[in-house]
Every structure is written in C-alpha cells, then in structure tokens.
Amino acid sequence: GQQSQDWLWPNWKTAFYDDLTKLHKTSGQWDLVIFSGDLTQSAEKSEFDSLSKILVDLWEFFEQLGSKPLLFAVPGNHDLCRPLREDPETQCLKSWWTQEITREAFWKNDTNRYREHVKNAFSEYMSWHSTLGDLGIPVPESMTIGVLPGDTSATISFGGKKIGLVGLNSSFLQVDGDNYDGKLELDVRQLLSVTANDPATWCQSHDINFLITHHPPTWLSAQSLKNFNSEIYPQGRFTSHFFG
C-alpha cells in the first residue's frame, strides 16, 4: 500500500527470491511462515487484494523450492481502517487508561459499542484472512478464534513435535495516527479466549509454544506490561515471543 511499492517491489522481489533460494538450500524444507502484522499500509481492500497476489506468487515460489509452509498471521496497527477521530467510541478508546468505566464496558461482552467499533476497524483484515485457503495459501487447521479480531491459536505438528501458536492483537487501541508507545494493552482475557481458559495447561500440552504479537512489550502501558509479565508471559510458559 505504500506509494513507492509499484516501482520498488520488482527489484526487491528479485533480491528476496534469490535470498530465499540460498536459505532453502542451507536450511531445507520450511514448515511455517509467521507474519507479525503490518501486512498493508492503511487496510484498504485494494491493498489486501494486492497483498494476496504477492502471497500467491510467493507460495508458488515456495513450492518450486520444495516447501509449502503454513501461514500464521496477526494484525498490526496498519491493518485496521482507522475510524473517525470525532467518533465518541474513538475518543473513549483513546482515554482507555483514564476511564475505568470504558475498560469495564469493553470487556463486559462481545456486542458492546466499543467492541463493535474495534471489530469494524479490523473488518478488511478479517475478510482477507478468511480467503487464504481459497487462494491456496495453507493455514493451520482448527484455529481457535478469540475475543478480538486477530486473536487466534492453533496446534501444528512438525518433526514429531507438537507446536502451539498463540497470536494476540496488540493494535486494537491504536485507533489513530498518534504515538502509542507505552500506551497499548494486552489483556489476559485475550489469551484465555484462545487457550480454553487455561493457558498453563494448554501450553503444557505442547512441546514448543510461540506467542506472536505485532508490538513489543515496551509498547504496553506500565500496568499492562506488569500484567503481561505475570499473567500472559510468565517465565517458562512460552518458548519465544515473536513481534515486529
């Protein structure tokens, strides 16, 4: 979706595919591709359509190399259609950390006006994600969908190992172009919703567990970071946290 994409991508594609060829010869078959957000620039349908064409071509190239990896993606802050700043729901979400009543209402149920606001913002991303199978891009089977758009989990098996993937939407508060460094949220209810309300047992049932978000922990508020370290990412639960 960037303005320079049309004239930069052809040269980037050649260099990228050359690198993939060299890496594949060294590493062997690839089983999984993790895309941790910002798949587009501004989440317009035309951008997701362009992304699909690029990914279809890329997966055809993977097959030529001898791989057909699964794709596991989470949305970033460029993958939501930013609502109008003057919308009352937008303004309430922007005051997330000073208005406890907003936070309580947001998590109360999945049909309140704030959750619907977030759902609408990520509607193009969710529509795009639902088309991946039809495009021939494999995704993990039996994915569990969570409380927010983009929250998901899956279990896959490679090389005799059972791998757990948990993707959480760290971008749902980033409703405009302001600086949100140190202001974002990851709530334990997001994790609970994709791990059968028992993340410890869910993770223990796998040999390896990966947590995937778009933002690093440093982008969370002080309170959210504290909760993240104690309730979502305590020592020993996940093998690695991928973000970027």
Side-chain angles (χ1 to χ4, degrees), residues 4-194:
S4 58
Q5 175 180 318
D6 290 344
W7 58 271
L8 280 177
W9 174 241
N11 284 333
W12 270 97
K13 176 181 176 181
T14 299
F16 181 44
Y17 279 26
D18 286 346
D19 282 347
L20 290 177
T21 301
K22 295 174 184 177
L23 287 170
H24 199 272
K25 290 179 180 178
T26 301
S27 68
Q29 180 177 322
W30 297 326
D31 301 302
L32 177 68
V33 171
I34 293 174
F35 203 144
S36 57
D38 281 359
L39 298 99
T40 65
Q41 181 66 20
S42 55
E44 297 178 5
K45 183 181 185 302
S46 60
E47 294 178 359
F48 280 110
D49 290 342
S50 295
L51 170 68
S52 293
K53 293 178 182 178
I54 291 173
L55 293 182
V56 166
D57 187 82
L58 178 58
W59 254 256
E60 290 175 353
F61 184 72
F62 284 148
E63 287 200 72
Q64 293 175 20
L65 293 177
S67 292
K68 193 169 184 178
L70 302 173
L71 174 63
F72 189 87
V74 296
N77 55 288
H78 284 278
D79 299 319
L80 73 153
C81 299
R82 290 174 178 168
L84 296 175
R85 289 177 67 95
E86 62 265 28
D87 284 350
E89 293 85 359
T90 300
Q91 292 303 311
C92 286
L93 290 174
K94 283 182 64 64
S95 61
W96 181 266
W97 294 111
T98 59
Q99 297 291 334
E100 183 178 358
I101 191 171
T102 299
R103 300 196 302 275
E104 290 178 350
F106 184 89
W107 295 116
K108 186 176 181 180
N109 57 60
D110 60 2
T111 59
N112 64 75
R113 60 195 300 180
Y114 306 117
R115 291 270 283 276
E116 288 295 325
H117 200 60
V118 170
K119 181 180 178 180
N120 290 336
F122 286 94
S123 60
E124 291 294 347
Y125 170 84
M126 296 301 290
S127 294
W128 165 80
H129 196 277
S130 69
T131 67
L132 290 174
D134 293 335
L135 293 172
I137 300 173
V139 297
E141 296 181 0
S142 302
M143 297 179 69
T144 299
I145 305 302
V147 293
L148 297 184
D151 288 348
T152 187
S153 69
T155 299
I156 57 179
S157 297
F158 298 131
K161 298 294 184 180
K162 191 177 179 183
I163 301 169
L165 303 172
V166 171
L168 301 181
N169 184 342
S170 62
S171 305
F172 70 94
L173 288 182
Q174 206 158 350
V175 290
D176 59 20
D178 290 350
N179 183 2
Y180 283 82
D181 192 355
K183 300 178 182 179
L184 297 180
E185 165 85 302
L186 279 173
D187 191 277
V188 68
R189 280 163 283 205
Q190 295 177 255
L191 177 63
L192 294 175
S193 69
V194 296

